[in-house]
Amino acid sequence: MNRLRQYRRVIYIQVARDQVTVTDARTGKSATEISQAPFSSRRLAVGHFYLAADTLKRAYRQVYPRSFSFLEPIIVLHQQYLCEDGLSLVEERILLELSGLIKSRHRYVWQGDPLSPAQLLAGEYQS
């Protein structure tokens, strides 16, 4: 995996209140989509899974309209809403399930300050 990491796309998915941002760390191309109906609730950033999934799909298609790669990308998920005291295992699981829309075995949930493209490419999301 380490030798192939330099060739894999690194997709950074940020989930905020009723919006999703998808960024390609190598190219810097980014798209933010606001949900057509609220998917966040008072207690969960992703309270309505299918609305959040639809929002993610629309943002992903803006960054990757038609893409094919033999190597599955690395996906880094970052919840930026209702995460002050850390994420529960349920919230982490929701994010991982949400990222299942993008075929990849390499998924990471990041908790902390937003990551820069350099940090993403260096693999700092694994620490």
Side-chain angles (χ1 to χ4, degrees), residues 1-10 26 71-76 104-108 120-126:
M1 155 81 178
N2 290 338
R3 287 189 290 167
L4 293 177
R5 182 171 41 182
Q6 64 184 342
Y7 301 108
R8 291 185 193 278
R9 290 180 298 175
V10 179
R26 293 197 193 288
L71 296 174
E72 293 177 345
I74 296 169
I75 299 173
V76 181
S104 181
R105 288 177 285 157
H106 312 286
R107 297 183 215 160
Y108 302 91
L120 289 163
L121 294 174
E124 292 187 24
Y125 48 84
Q126 294 177 321

Side-chain angles (χ1 to χ4, degrees), residues 62-124:
Q62 286 186 33
V63 177
Y64 302 105
R66 291 185 188 99
S67 65
F68 177 78
S69 176
F70 290 108
L71 296 174
E72 293 177 345
I74 296 169
I75 299 173
V76 181
L77 302 138
H78 187 193
Q79 181 173 312
Q80 298 180 312
Y81 176 65
L82 297 176
C83 58
E84 293 79 22
D85 296 327
L87 300 177
S88 69
L89 292 176
V90 171
E91 291 169 311
E92 285 186 30
R93 180 61 186 233
I94 290 170
L95 292 174
L96 291 170
E97 289 294 324
L98 189 62
S99 71
L101 300 168
I102 305 165
K103 184 180 176 192
S104 181
R105 288 177 285 157
H106 312 286
R107 297 183 215 160
Y108 302 91
V109 175
W110 173 255
Q111 296 183 52
D113 293 330
L115 295 167
S116 70
Q119 290 173 309
L120 289 163
L121 294 174
E124 292 187 24

